[in-house]
Amino acid sequence: MAEIRIENLNKKFGDFVALKDSSFTVEDGEFLALLGPSGCGKTTTLRMIAGLELPTAGRILLDGEDVTFNRARDRDIAFVFQLFALYPHMNVRRNIGFPLLAQGVSRSEIKRQVEATARLLQIDHILEKPVSGLAGGDRQRVALGRAIVRRPKCFLMDEPLGTLDAEFRNVMVRELRELHTRIHATTVYVTHDQLEAMAMADKIAVMNHGVIEQFGTPQEIYDRPASMYVADFIGSPPMNFLAVTSALTKGSRSVAIGAAEVAVPEVVEDLDGGAVALGVRPEHIRFNDSATLRGSVYGVEYLGTTQIVVVETADGFCKARVSAGLRVTRGETVGLDLDTPKLTLFRRQGGKAIRTAPAPEVHHG
Amino acid sequence: MSAAAHSVVEPGLTSKRVAGAIVILYAVITMVPLFWIFATSFKTPPDSIAYPPKILFEPSIEGYCNLFTTRTRQTAEYIASLPPATSFCDETTRKRNMVIAGQSNFLPRFVNSLIIAFGSTFCAVFLGTLAAYGFSRFKVPLADDLLFFILSTRMMPPIAVAIPIYLMYRELGLSDTALGMILLYTAVNVSLAVWLLKGFIDEIPREYEEAAMIDGYTRMGAFFKVVLPQATTGIAATAIFCLIFAWNEYAFAALLTSGTAQTAPPFIPTIIGEGGQDWPAVAAGTTIFLVPILVFTILLRKQLLRGITFGAVRK
Ligand SMILES: Nc1ncnc2c1ncn2[C@@H]1O[C@H](COP(=O)(O)OP(=O)(O)O)[C@@H](O)[C@H]1O
Ligand SMILES: [Mg+2]
């Protein structure tokens, strides 16, 4: 098991910058999700860690050792490809045993380890089958089996659930997480699905256009998004942005949204007076008739336990997630109460979050 | 997926029948010369030149006897003094007042053809596979120009280089050697092999090799263990094309080989009988000459078909 550290990693394809000045550390046994839309450089990052692509600049360290220019086979890393890349001319057993064969492990030992791995993944009944006829989930498990059979330093997975149907994906998300808990291998998991990342990862790196916008735990990323991009990418429906109409300075504790006054966490950095947006998640809005921020109900999306109410304010549409029991009718005027400790302020220019005093921690029990 | 791909427009029964009839007619027309050769090989020399041509005749293997032997004319008394004939060939020869003097050159020429055709096919496919893999997977400087150059070697008629090659081979002592012919056919075929195989290897996703290299194999190891097994279809198809060319090649073989390294194509027309061409023997030689390609093609017909329709059929 190992720690993966990348330092100021850059990758250019000709003039195109696929990855820019990225640094992060995946600690031993940690599960990192690289999250971002298609084309943002996730696969490229993963391929550089694996040694399938050489960085233009920067370093990659495995357990403190600089492996930036080492060959893939000398890095002791396992890689689960997007389309699995199971060798079509071999059956399941030979696919899983293939990495051991390269290490010169004896035949009986290969047999033993392949079977142990297959039992762990519950695919011991299909060992003799050709891989071509396997269902998506089984292909997935065989690919995992081939990755874990030799106990590598770490696992890299490139959207391994991308081709599975939604129903089965949930099962695999749970299995993957359970597998991680069991063998505790350092893992970098690439996905464009925020729910997958949230459900599995210890840490998430949110990427956009070759830049890591934020690196942190799922909760940090959800509660304190570092940029409007992250705030918009995480959460469904995404965060609402309201235009702040008052001037903001260090120490401000409230902002004006049109005629309304909204309490916010204390601003703790100097500001240059540029336009500011107030970010609020739909689940942090409560209806309160006495609130000064007002709007009329434009539409309702019923979700069972909750409902998403689209409210038309002076500043545009704003979505609120409220209890499904609440009766709301279209056109009705409502007051919006925002949950002050959960609010985030952003500079419109560049979208970076404005630092505010940390919210007091809430403990249960 | 595959069902959808096949049922684009289901042709009607009538058009199917018409298409079938055309295909059969075409097959029959192309088969006629082959059938004629085959039939002639079982005729006697007088039957083979009878006019009008004989469709029905009494089969004889005299042509095959004459193909494999040389004969000398003898007096009737001498033939009568010989011990009884031991084989059918002996007997037929004696009926024509001749005795078998020895083996003809057909067998060694046929063996030459086998060695040269299979040898050059192996070399062309071996080199072609490695080159195609290189072009497919690595950034080769001037790759497009090199590929064009490789192909351009096939653009001019072979006869344009016949004289230079003839002189060059004479200088190098490669005239009338199997090695010379193998080199020549390899040089001609390798361009076809590179182009065909590059297409096939481009179709094999890189992920397989990358997976193998991550799994602890060298690039060579990945090539042999993962790429090659998946390229067998392409390799088989390429091999057949190369083999057919090398097997059938006549012009260079006639020019560059005359003795020990002569191949079957220039040899067969030189089979001379008593008083003119021995057509049944020529036809017998041609019939036997067709067999190896026929066997090879039938053995690899699936791969060949996929090779021809390659690109049209996707998973
Ligand atoms: N070998 C390459 N040559 C040129 N451009 C590439 C290459 N590989 C990836 N790219 C480009 O880099 C960008 C990031 O690609 P990728 O890392 O695959 O994105 P993701 O996995 O996040 O969808 C894309 O715009 C892609 O077109
Ligand atoms: Mg990708």
Side-chain angles (χ1 to χ4, degrees):
Chain A
M1 295 303 120
E3 173 203 88
I4 305 169
R5 181 195 294 269
I6 71 170
E7 290 177 355
N8 297 316
L9 211 58
N10 278 275
K11 178 69 187 180
K12 285 186 192 159
F13 293 110
D15 286 338
F16 178 79
V17 181
L19 188 71
K20 202 176 153 199
D21 294 331
S22 294
S23 304
F24 59 75
T25 303
V26 195
E27 273 154 38
D28 187 18
E30 208 169 54
F31 193 120
L32 170 75
L34 271 181
L35 175 64
S38 181
C40 71
K42 308 181 295 290
T43 300
T44 305
T45 309
L46 210 60
R47 287 171 60 85
M48 285 192 286
I49 299 174
L52 296 174
E53 206 89 64
L54 288 182
T56 315
R59 298 205 306 162
I60 300 166
L61 296 105
L62 271 184
D63 261 348
E65 183 200 350
D66 187 342
V67 298
T68 315
F69 297 105
N70 286 15
R71 290 170 199 280
R73 72 184 145 99
D74 297 330
R75 296 194 188 191
D76 195 15
I77 280 176
F79 197 114
V80 178
F81 287 83
Q82 200 158 7
L83 298 170
F84 310 145
L86 300 180
Y87 309 122
H89 55 294
M90 302 181 190
N91 66 11
V92 171
R93 177 187 291 278
R94 291 190 48 216
N95 258 283
I96 297 178
F98 196 64
L100 297 177
L101 203 64
Q103 298 176 343
V105 177
S106 77
R107 198 174 289 225
S108 58
E109 183 62 17
I110 291 180
K111 185 166 150 54
R112 202 185 60 74
Q113 292 193 25
V114 167
E115 279 163 15
T117 304
R119 267 196 305 280
L120 181 72
L121 295 166
Q122 295 168 4
I123 47 171
D124 34 349
H125 59 290
I126 56 164
L127 273 178
E128 312 307 330
K129 288 201 179 157
V131 293
S132 53
L134 297 183
D138 284 338
R139 299 176 76 85
Q140 168 67 63
R141 293 193 184 93
V142 176
L144 279 174
R146 193 173 69 189
I148 64 178
V149 72
R150 66 191 160 94
R151 303 285 151 160
K153 280 192 180 146
C154 48
F155 294 118
L156 309 178
M157 304 188 194
D158 191 2
E159 311 211 21
L161 307 184
T163 55
L164 303 184
D165 44 29
E167 185 186 354
F168 200 71
R169 210 186 287 204
N170 292 334
V171 178
M172 282 316 292
V173 164
R174 210 184 56 235
E175 275 187 30
L176 273 176
R177 183 64 222 194
E178 274 170 13
L179 186 69
H180 180 73
T181 315
R182 191 126 37 119
I183 64 180
H184 227 68
T186 312
T187 304
V188 181
Y189 182 98
V190 161
T191 179
H192 62 262
D193 184 321
Q194 48 145 332
L195 294 177
E196 255 176 44
M198 288 292 203
M200 278 190 275
D202 300 316
K203 296 270 178 65
I204 296 178
V206 183
M207 291 185 66
N208 184 29
H209 292 309
V211 175
I212 293 180
E213 294 258 342
Q214 187 170 7
F215 181 90
T217 63
Q219 197 175 2
E220 277 164 10
I221 285 182
Y222 181 80
D223 287 345
R224 301 183 70 80
S227 67
M228 286 172 81
Y229 176 81
V230 174
D232 190 54
F233 194 78
I234 306 282
S236 169
M239 189 179 263
N240 300 294
F241 297 112
L242 303 170
V244 172
T245 48
S246 58
L248 211 58
T249 55
K250 188 170 178 178
S252 294
R253 284 168 172 277
S254 75
V255 295
I257 307 288
E261 187 78 7
V262 176
V264 295
E266 184 186 342
V267 175
V268 295
E269 69 174 309
D270 290 316
L271 293 168
D272 51 13
V276 170
L278 173 65
V280 56
R281 293 204 178 274
E283 39 278 45
H284 299 145
I285 299 177
R286 223 156 298 137
F287 289 167
N288 177 357
D289 284 339
S290 60
T292 51
L293 184 62
R294 304 192 77 79
S296 64
V297 174
Y298 179 81
V300 177
E301 194 183 326
Y302 183 75
L303 296 176
T305 50
T306 61
Q307 55 187 337
I308 307 296
V309 181
V310 184
V311 179
E312 189 171 14
T313 67
D315 191 36
F317 293 109
C318 179
K319 289 184 176 179
R321 186 192 290 275
V322 297
S323 156
L326 203 65
R327 273 185 64 94
V328 276
T329 46
R330 285 191 80 174
E332 161 187 23
T333 302
V334 289
L336 305 177
D337 234 0
L338 311 185
D339 188 358
T340 301
K342 300 283 173 65
L343 300 181
T344 318
L345 291 160
F346 299 96
R347 291 179 183 81
R348 280 276 181 195
Q349 183 75 37
K352 285 271 168 290
I354 294 168
R355 270 190 288 131
T356 52
E361 286 207 31
V362 185
H363 291 279
H364 59 80
Chain B
M1 174 67 201
S2 62
H6 285 288
S7 65
V8 181
V9 178
E10 199 58 54
L13 199 59
T14 331
S15 55
K16 256 188 188 170
R17 282 192 180 144
V18 172
I22 291 173
V23 168
I24 289 169
L25 188 70
Y26 180 73
V28 168
I29 291 171
T30 50
M31 292 299 279
V32 166
L34 284 177
F35 171 76
W36 199 254
I37 293 276
F38 185 73
T40 304
S41 74
F42 287 101
K43 287 179 179 173
T44 57
D47 276 354
S48 74
I49 50 170
Y51 189 85
K54 287 193 173 179
I55 305 289
L56 292 173
F57 57 91
E58 201 178 323
S60 146
I61 59 165
E62 193 177 342
Y64 291 88
C65 292
N66 292 353
L67 176 66
F68 284 101
T69 59
T70 57
R71 300 157 303 280
T72 52
R73 185 159 287 279
Q74 297 291 346
T75 57
E77 297 78 51
Y78 174 76
I79 290 171
S81 72
L82 290 173
T86 52
S87 68
F88 176 83
C89 283
D90 266 347
E91 216 175 298
T92 0
T93 315
R94 287 179 196 184
K95 272 188 207 149
R96 303 213 183 276
N97 284 333
M98 291 190 285
V99 291
I100 292 170
Q103 285 206 333
S104 77
N105 274 335
F106 180 74
L107 198 62
R109 300 304 187 247
F110 188 79
V111 170
N112 280 346
S113 262
L114 286 176
I115 292 171
I116 290 168
F118 280 91
S120 69
T121 298
F122 175 81
C123 293
V125 171
F126 179 78
L127 295 174
T129 309
L130 293 181
Y133 181 74
F135 277 118
S136 174
R137 295 299 198 257
F138 298 108
K139 265 196 201 139
V140 180
L142 301 177
D144 290 347
D145 303 279
L146 281 174
L147 279 169
F148 180 77
F149 170 72
I150 290 173
L151 190 67
S152 71
T153 59
R154 296 203 67 138
M155 287 179 184
M156 61 191 147
I159 209 68
V161 289
I163 304 294
I165 287 181
Y166 176 76
L167 296 173
M168 208 161 80
Y169 266 42
R170 213 177 49 185
E171 279 307 301
L172 294 171
L174 287 170
S175 295
D176 205 18
T177 61
L179 177 67
M181 295 314 287
I182 289 177
L183 284 178
L184 183 67
Y185 292 163
T186 302
V188 175
N189 272 336
V190 87
S191 63
L192 174 79
V194 170
W195 273 79
L196 265 179
L197 284 164
K198 181 174 180 297
F200 281 104
I201 291 175
D202 282 345
E203 294 275 294
I204 302 171
R206 282 158 184 263
E207 273 83 9
Y208 292 122
E209 294 134 84
E210 292 177 344
M213 286 192 280
I214 283 174
D215 284 348
Y217 291 83
T218 59
R219 185 171 276 279
M220 260 307 183
F223 173 74
F224 283 111
K225 288 214 155 69
V226 175
V227 180
L228 222 45
Q230 292 186 65
T232 45
T233 300
I235 289 172
T238 309
I240 292 185
F241 287 126
C242 292
L243 185 72
I244 290 175
F245 169 82
W247 186 255
N248 291 344
E249 207 284 327
Y250 177 81
F252 281 107
L255 184 73
L256 297 174
T257 67
S258 50
T260 50
Q262 194 181 38
T263 55
F267 173 76
I268 290 172
T270 66
I271 302 168
I272 307 287
E274 269 276 305
Q277 201 88 21
D278 186 351
W279 293 115
V282 171
T286 310
T287 305
I288 292 176
F289 182 68
L290 289 175
V291 170
I293 292 287
L294 205 65
V295 170
F296 203 67
T297 312
I298 289 173
L299 285 180
L300 298 180
R301 65 186 179 285
K302 267 193 204 142
Q303 282 81 358
L304 186 61
L305 201 64
R306 274 180 63 189
I308 292 167
T309 56
F310 142 78
V313 190
R314 299 259 328 191
K315 284 145 227 185

